[in-house]
Amino acid sequence: MKAIFLAATASTILVAVPVNAEDEFEGFYAGASVGYDFQASDGDEFISFDRGSNGSFGETVTTAAGANAFSPGFCGGAATSPQNANCESDSDGVSFNGRFGYDSQMGKLVVGLVGEVGTADVRDAVSAFSTTPAFYYMEREIDYTAALRLRAGFTPATSTLLYLTGGLAYAKLDQEFETSNTANSFTVIADDKAWGYQVGAGIEQKIGKKFSVGVEYLYTGYNDDDTLIRVGQGSAPATNPFVLAGGVDFLRANDDFNLQTVKAVVSYRF
């Protein structure tokens, strides 16, 4: 009986050792990434107006003769002149992130949680043009970002992990406004916080007992719809379109701020 017990114990150990040896992605880890952020095309973006500042956006600001005061139109970029021509395109850029997470491995299945903080060098603008002529443009840049995501994947090979990931995203924004209109007064009522979501996929490859490298793709969708510009009379005459409207608020008609990111990741597992 004792021999049988010892044999059974030895067999259990022999079976267990390879399983534990394959748990390459178990435990806490920290890492960093460098990537590039691409914005979704928004060349048809425009500004929405609210006559009388009563919350009813989508209205037309008219001249004293009843014509559309913004008939020159809009562009999905930064204005470079009072005319709707040669708008400066939105800019994409490099991002840097630090991350910390935990994984639990059960055979070939790996599930975990990862948090990130970082920066993003992107600029997104939209411009409107009035018949004055004058330009008006709203611009937002990302100050810093944070995210908390789940990730789940499998190991087709002992030291390789393929995974999907998704969760919450946050961005601290810098909101700016510029205009060539020097007659009216303009007040920026800024909302510098944007919440959203992230989804993506990646591959992680161990290159030793503790280190791993990988490539990750993320799609981030932020919602940014609360920043508005409030127009007052200033020194403008009573025939000014903004004055005729009883004051005007305007904001971006499209409240989506979407990024696609491809990044290289390096991690150290404790």
Side-chain angles (χ1 to χ4, degrees), residues 144-176:
Y144 65 84
T145 63
L148 184 64
R149 301 189 305 272
L150 295 171
R151 75 172 190 167
F154 74 101
T155 55
T158 302
S159 57
T160 304
L161 173 64
L162 301 175
Y163 63 88
L164 300 175
T165 185
L168 295 174
Y170 169 82
K172 171 68 166 57
L173 303 177
D174 291 329
Q175 304 276 10
E176 297 182 5

